[in-house]
Amino acid sequence: MYTQGLDQAGKEQREVAETADMLAAFQARIDAEEKIEAKDWMPEAYRRTLIRQISQHAHSEIIGMQPEGNWLTRAPSLKRKAILLAKVQDEAGHGLYLYSAAETLGVSRDQLVGDLLSGKAKYSSIFNYPTLSWADIGAVGWLVDGAAIMNQIPLCRCSYGPYARAMVRVCKEESFHQRQGFEIMLTLCRGTDEQKAMAQDALSRWWWPSLMMFGPNDSESKHSAQSMAWKIKRFTNDELRQKFVDVTVQQAEYLGISVPDKDLRFDESSGHHTFGEIDWQEFMDVIAGNGPCNKQRLEKRQAAHDDGAWVREAAQAYASKQAALAAA
Amino acid sequence: MSKQEWPLYEVFIRTKSGLSHRHAGSVHAADDQMALDNARDTYTRRREGVSLWVVRSDSIVASDPAETAAFFEPAEDKIYRHPTFYEIPDGVENL
Ligand SMILES: [Fe+2]
Ligand SMILES: [Fe+2]
């Protein structure tokens, strides 16, 4: 997921070459459920929307490695450590699949990485919260990867072929993530009172930020309608959030821990849970860069990038030398 | 050191013997060997393949989507290349 539609105000100037006929023909392809491929003609706004969404998604996967990486050296057993390492490695893979998909739209990897490091590009608000205890690793897998799956499954049918194919791969791997998270929660909830309290504390802190992952309410979401028309999005933010609440509340009940929302109740007539108001001010603050960990996350990414510079340079020098030798 | 982006490689995976290689995605790498290693780590963490191909993206020659109709036009009007074009009377078997 991680595609919250966090836009910097988009410049919507159209290229002169886009005639009404071309736009109509493009929309007809979309309406016929045809997939759009990299070299096909597409409206500039479609291209820009996809670059923004796919790169935001990729950045989220990459930054998302940090909160979990925080517990790699302190996992409670070797088995847990190996599993967590595999999960964090998957997130790196997701970032790479997605950067590749974005590059098919004519943007370079360096440009994408540069936009993340400069703070120009956004990533999901959720990764700006800290993982304070081991139970948070359970909560992140269960809730954050769970919310991601909710958002990502429809993206497997997205109109842009390379993005859709990348998402198929991502979705297969995410369900391992969610299950391992739930299993950590289950183990804690079946443990001592203290362990169960850890699980409750993690749920209490991660619940609302997880709901924010779906982005603003539909009434506030400026890109939703166009993205739906282009079949980049298949469901609205509120529809996906509702689905997530409905399935997750039942899982929390099974665990025997409670969702921190006094307004939460099951509505017999609609068959859905109604829930309390999200603190949108908190959401806006985190997006604006003032969440608990924004600064730390970007600094760490920048440091990793800088520390890897000599490796990239050495590999390039070696490749150039080998190529020169082969040519001689 | 010039800051140069590593070239892009397209990745193709054979999932098991008997099947063709299929496009999976792409990776950046400084050279061919690194492209293979990166492709393995990125696309086959769950034993998705028994063989990998990587090829520099700029080595691929592709047909132009804008010319699709004209390019494939020669096949358009040759329905007699399909067995269903021929009418076989009832009673003729094994044909
Ligand atoms: Fe992921
Ligand atoms: Fe994940």
Side-chain angles (χ1 to χ4, degrees):
Chain A
M1 117 152 327
Y2 313 155
T3 53
Q4 288 173 318
L6 319 170
D7 196 21
Q8 311 82 318
K11 354 173 194 35
E12 300 293 315
Q13 88 274 18
R14 282 239 164 93
E15 278 194 354
V16 250
E18 293 183 8
T19 64
D21 281 356
M22 289 162 86
L23 293 172
F26 179 79
Q27 190 61 47
R29 291 192 65 192
I30 300 272
D31 293 343
E33 295 289 334
E34 267 183 54
K35 295 288 180 200
I36 308 303
E37 292 295 344
K39 299 283 185 302
D40 293 356
W41 184 84
M42 62 187 83
E44 267 316 296
Y46 178 82
R47 182 186 301 278
R48 270 202 309 276
T49 299
L50 278 168
I51 291 176
R52 185 186 62 237
Q53 174 165 337
I54 301 172
S55 62
Q56 225 167 63
H57 192 160
H59 299 326
S60 302
E61 303 282 356
I62 297 298
I63 296 290
M65 295 163 75
Q66 290 186 36
E68 294 182 288
N70 181 37
W71 281 89
L72 275 174
T73 57
R74 293 174 290 162
S77 70
L78 186 58
K79 185 186 99 176
R80 297 280 187 206
K81 182 176 184 167
I83 292 172
L84 185 58
L85 191 59
K87 179 183 189 287
V88 173
Q89 196 185 15
D90 274 354
E91 305 302 4
H94 298 173
L96 296 177
Y97 309 153
L98 289 160
Y99 281 133
S100 295
E103 285 175 88
T104 63
L105 292 157
V107 60
S108 77
R109 180 77 59 101
D110 280 354
Q111 212 174 318
L112 294 169
V113 171
D115 285 351
L116 171 63
L117 294 176
S118 73
K120 184 178 167 223
K122 305 280 185 198
Y123 57 86
S124 177
S125 56
I126 193 76
F127 299 117
N128 290 313
Y129 290 86
T131 42
L132 302 178
S133 83
W134 171 254
D136 288 29
I137 299 305
V140 167
W142 173 40
L143 300 173
V144 176
D145 289 86
I149 291 173
M150 218 38 114
N151 194 338
Q152 285 168 350
I153 286 180
L155 287 174
C156 297
R157 294 190 294 124
C158 156
S159 61
Y160 187 57
Y163 190 26
R165 292 191 289 274
M167 291 319 302
V168 169
R169 199 172 279 280
V170 168
C171 284
K172 278 188 194 154
E173 301 182 350
E174 288 297 354
S175 76
F176 140 57
H177 298 177
Q178 190 187 20
R179 284 183 178 203
Q180 67 85 36
F182 186 79
E183 196 220 25
I184 290 173
M185 296 300 274
L186 192 60
T187 306
L188 290 169
C189 289
R190 286 175 175 167
T192 62
D193 288 351
E194 206 184 346
Q195 285 172 315
K196 192 164 183 181
M198 278 169 70
Q200 177 63 61
D201 171 58
L203 170 58
S204 299
R205 282 181 292 108
W206 288 92
W207 176 254
W208 290 106
S210 297
L211 295 195
M212 293 175 198
M213 283 177 70
F214 295 92
N217 285 135
D218 295 347
S219 52
E220 307 293 322
S221 181
K222 47 184 169 175
H223 296 292
S224 259
Q226 182 60 73
S227 285
M228 300 274 284
W230 278 331
K231 300 195 177 169
I232 294 173
K233 253 178 119 139
R234 298 271 177 174
F235 297 98
T236 70
N237 296 352
D238 287 332
E239 284 168 347
L240 291 167
R241 187 166 17 239
Q242 181 67 57
K243 250 178 153 169
F244 176 76
V245 170
D246 287 337
V247 302
T248 311
V249 164
Q250 188 268 333
Q251 293 161 357
E253 278 164 13
Y254 184 88
L255 291 171
I257 49 182
S258 47
V259 168
D261 179 358
K262 58 179 174 22
D263 297 320
L264 184 80
R265 61 182 181 80
F266 185 71
D267 178 35
E268 294 283 353
S269 62
S270 68
H272 293 295
H273 291 83
T274 54
F275 51 95
E277 186 62 28
I278 288 168
D279 181 350
W280 292 112
Q281 189 53 50
E282 176 180 325
F283 175 72
M284 296 315 288
D285 287 346
V286 176
I287 294 298
N290 302 317
C293 300
N294 297 55
K295 198 165 165 280
Q296 176 188 336
R297 298 286 186 248
L298 270 189
E299 281 172 1
K300 199 160 181 183
R301 183 88 285 278
Q302 181 71 58
H305 188 74
D306 295 345
D307 291 348
W310 72 270
V311 180
R312 292 191 295 277
E313 284 169 17
Q316 184 63 63
Y318 177 77
S320 307
K321 204 168 161 185
Q322 293 300 311
L325 281 175
Chain B
M1 189 72 216
S2 66
K3 213 186 137 304
Q4 190 193 344
E5 191 168 277
W6 289 348
L8 193 66
Y9 286 77
E10 299 303 317
V11 178
F12 299 83
I13 304 175
R14 184 201 296 286
T15 50
K16 61 178 189 187
S17 304
L19 298 178
S20 311
H21 286 75
R22 193 172 166 187
H23 185 241
S26 48
V27 292
H28 283 277
D31 59 33
D32 296 353
Q33 184 58 46
M34 191 195 282
L36 266 183
D37 292 343
N38 287 354
R40 177 200 57 197
D41 294 345
T42 308
Y43 292 100
T44 62
R45 286 192 303 282
R46 288 176 175 74
R47 314 204 316 168
E48 286 94 338
V50 295
S51 164
L52 270 182
W53 287 348
V54 291
V55 57
R56 286 268 304 243
S57 308
D58 56 15
S59 300
I60 291 181
V61 181
S63 61
D64 178 356
E67 301 294 325
T68 299
F71 187 71
F72 292 103
E73 189 274 335
E76 277 302 304
D77 57 356
K78 298 183 179 59
I79 47 170
Y80 46 81
R81 281 183 166 150
H82 297 277
T84 45
F85 177 75
Y86 302 92
E87 239 177 77
I88 304 298
D90 287 346
V92 181
E93 284 173 26
N94 301 317
L95 195 71

